Amino acid sequence: MTLTAPPVPGTTDASNSTKASWLWLAMWSLLVLGVQPWSSRAAAPQGSTGSNNSLMKGVLLGAIFLICLAATKPGFRTRSSPATTLYVVYAMFATATAFLLADPGGPLLRLARLLIGLLLLFMLWRPLIRVPERLIRAHLLAHLLLALTVVLSVIWRPTVAWRPLSTFGTGYRLQGVLIPMLPPRVGEVGAILLGLAIIAFVYRKLAFVPAGALVGLGLVLVALSRTRTAAAAVAVGLVLALLLTRKTWFGRIASISVPALMGLAFTVIPSLQTWLLRGQGTKQISSLSGRTTSWQYVLDEEVSLQTAIIGHGLGNKRVLLRRGEGDIDVMAIDNSWLSLYWETGLLAVTIVGIAFIVAWISVLRAPTPFVKASGALLLGYVSVASLNESGLSDLSSMTLHLLVAAAVCDADRLRAKAHPPPPKPRPQKYI
């Protein structure tokens, strides 16, 4: 007979597993924080250019990588989703072409951040991604923490947390101050929090009270940030998520009719119309707040064959518009696909486009409804937001949403293949 000593309190496998889980959740939350476009304009007056805190984000990302490396056991097993692999190919291509530019320093730093982020996904396969529900829960928790920093910003510096609208509109928009985030980023955080909480409640992963609190917080952030892109993107994402996972005709009809009624409400209720228009005129609305001007410039510019293939350089997200003699205006491109072409060329657009399609294929093949719905929500959000915002060319929140959706759905399919459900018993025939 073998005697086994009782476990020492605090050193059991369960407690060690819990501590490790919290470590990986913390690392993922810091990664989500590190891909946010911190901007000093969040604490500056309206109209100032500000600058991104690239050095701080690089230090944070490096610290996350070192901690994950120290916590990872030697000889660990890993896996990459096809979309992540294609992003590695894109990063390698962009790195090679960066040396052909006159000033490769800036693009290479951005590509180094992207490669570190992709390496982190390899390292997080076993603790987070292999069980896809863990990564979805970590992504939800990370956006909850970001949302709470915005709430604390209102309490800490209320005068700075409200940013005046541009000269085309009237009113104020909520922004982050504790962690500097402009209103569009606050709207994105609220939209992702809102969408994932609804999906978790529908599939009984969250109880009514916590789900209601998260949905309410997400709605408040989207409404007070007055971010129309985030509102439209999460609505489309939710419709796609429910359509792809509802098995009954009633569920599918409800998935379409509820958002349709909400859209109708914006055309009927005056207060919702005011929120949607933001005081802008017909010209500003039709030009998407001036975005189409820069889009047309990118499409019309005559470039050399080399520039068309390798782009102008990663990080070059703005164009110079000359209007009349000596009148020069700097405008953001604000379209992920045109920005990707402008920065890294046509071949990069092709690689990222294939990664985007492959990610959707992974979502469609996911067998678990909750995982499939979460992936469809994130990819649906990216599909809409990428048309009105830039981000798919480097390590951004939008790129992370795409890679998370692809990773969890690919892991879900592999799990189902490794552990297939038992066959249904055949009905016996009685003679």
Side-chain angles (χ1 to χ4, degrees):
M1 182 175 64
T2 304
L3 297 178
T4 305
V8 179
T11 62
T12 61
D13 292 340
S15 63
N16 290 335
S17 177
T18 301
K19 291 178 181 177
S21 298
W22 280 108
L23 171 65
W24 298 116
L25 285 174
M27 290 301 100
W28 186 261
S29 298
L30 289 175
L31 176 59
V32 173
L33 170 63
V35 301
Q36 300 300 319
W38 304 352
S39 177
S40 59
R41 286 188 294 165
Q46 175 73 20
S48 62
T49 56
S51 62
N52 288 339
N53 300 282
S54 300
L55 179 61
M56 292 179 61
K57 291 193 293 184
V59 170
L60 176 61
L61 192 63
I64 297 169
F65 177 77
L66 292 177
I67 294 173
C68 290
L69 187 63
T72 302
K73 296 179 180 179
F76 70 100
R77 292 184 178 181
T78 185
R79 180 182 166 81
S80 171
S81 69
T84 304
T85 304
L86 283 166
Y87 252 94
V88 173
V89 174
Y90 159 73
M92 294 300 181
F93 164 76
T95 301
T97 57
F99 290 100
L100 300 176
L101 301 172
D103 184 15
L108 288 176
L109 285 176
R110 287 179 171 268
L111 287 166
R113 288 185 65 248
L114 176 59
L115 284 171
I116 292 175
L118 295 173
L119 283 174
L120 283 172
L121 289 177
F122 288 124
M123 297 168 65
L124 292 172
W125 163 259
R126 190 173 184 85
L128 277 183
I129 304 174
R130 186 180 57 171
V131 180
E133 288 83 1
R134 289 180 188 169
L135 184 55
I136 296 170
R137 182 170 64 248
H139 210 51
L140 176 62
L141 176 63
H143 283 81
L144 172 60
L145 295 176
L146 284 176
L148 292 178
T149 65
V150 178
V151 175
L152 291 175
S153 297
V154 178
I155 300 173
W156 179 45
R157 298 182 66 183
T159 56
V160 184
W162 296 101
R163 184 175 184 83
L165 282 168
S166 64
T167 54
F168 298 118
T170 57
Y172 293 86
R173 303 177 69 183
L174 180 63
Q175 64 181 2
V177 181
L178 187 64
I179 295 175
M181 292 186 291
L182 290 174
R185 300 282 71 75
V186 173
E188 178 185 336
V189 169
I192 297 298
L193 181 64
L194 163 70
L196 288 179
I198 291 177
I199 296 296
F201 175 71
V202 170
Y203 290 96
R204 300 180 181 180
K205 302 296 181 180
L206 274 179
F208 177 77
V209 173
L214 296 181
V215 169
L217 179 57
L219 277 174
V220 168
L221 293 186
V222 173
L224 295 184
S225 66
R226 305 185 75 170
T227 310
R228 296 172 295 201
T229 299
V234 75
V236 172
L238 283 170
V239 170
L240 290 174
L242 297 176
L243 276 178
L244 291 176
T245 53
R246 297 289 90 183
K247 296 182 179 180
T248 63
W249 280 106
F250 175 78
R252 293 174 181 173
I253 293 173
S255 302
I256 299 176
S257 59
V258 173
L261 291 174
M262 293 178 62
L264 182 63
F266 276 98
T267 63
V268 176
I269 302 175
S271 59
L272 293 179
Q273 287 183 349
T274 303
W275 182 89
L276 184 66
L277 297 177
R278 291 199 320 223
Q280 294 180 332
T282 306
K283 183 178 180 180
Q284 286 75 42
I285 294 294
S286 60
S287 65
L288 299 178
S289 301
R291 288 178 173 88
T292 55
T293 304
S294 60
W295 297 351
Q296 194 63 45
Y297 177 86
V298 172
L299 293 173
D300 293 343
E301 189 199 30
E302 296 182 2
V303 297
S304 64
L305 179 61
Q306 175 178 319
T307 303
I309 294 174
I310 69 173
H312 295 77
L314 198 62
N316 191 348
K317 298 178 183 291
R318 295 175 180 270
V319 296
L320 292 176
L321 300 180
R322 291 174 173 82
R323 299 176 300 175
E325 185 176 354
D327 188 7
I328 299 177
D329 193 9
V330 180
M331 295 189 67
I333 297 176
D334 282 338
N335 179 292
S336 283
W337 301 104
L338 290 177
S339 178
L340 188 64
Y341 159 71
W342 181 264
E343 293 178 86
T344 49
L346 288 173
L347 284 179
V349 173
T350 303
I351 297 171
V352 175
I354 294 173
F356 191 75
I357 295 172
V358 168
W360 267 116
I361 293 174
S362 296
V363 169
L364 295 175
R365 297 178 66 188
T368 306
F370 170 65
V371 177
K372 187 174 188 176
S374 300
L377 169 77
L378 293 173
L379 266 189
Y381 183 93
V382 173
S383 299
V384 176
S386 64
L387 301 177
N388 217 31
E389 295 179 0
S390 60
L392 289 179
S393 56
D394 53 6
L395 187 63
S396 67
S397 57
M398 197 178 303
T399 302
L400 198 62
H401 296 328
L402 187 154
L403 296 178
V404 167
V408 296
C409 292
D410 185 59
D412 186 42
R413 183 175 57 84
L414 290 175
R415 179 177 59 181
K417 186 183 295 185
H419 304 284
K424 295 181 179 180
R426 298 178 62 180
Q428 296 181 354
K429 295 182 180 180
Y430 296 95
I431 300 176

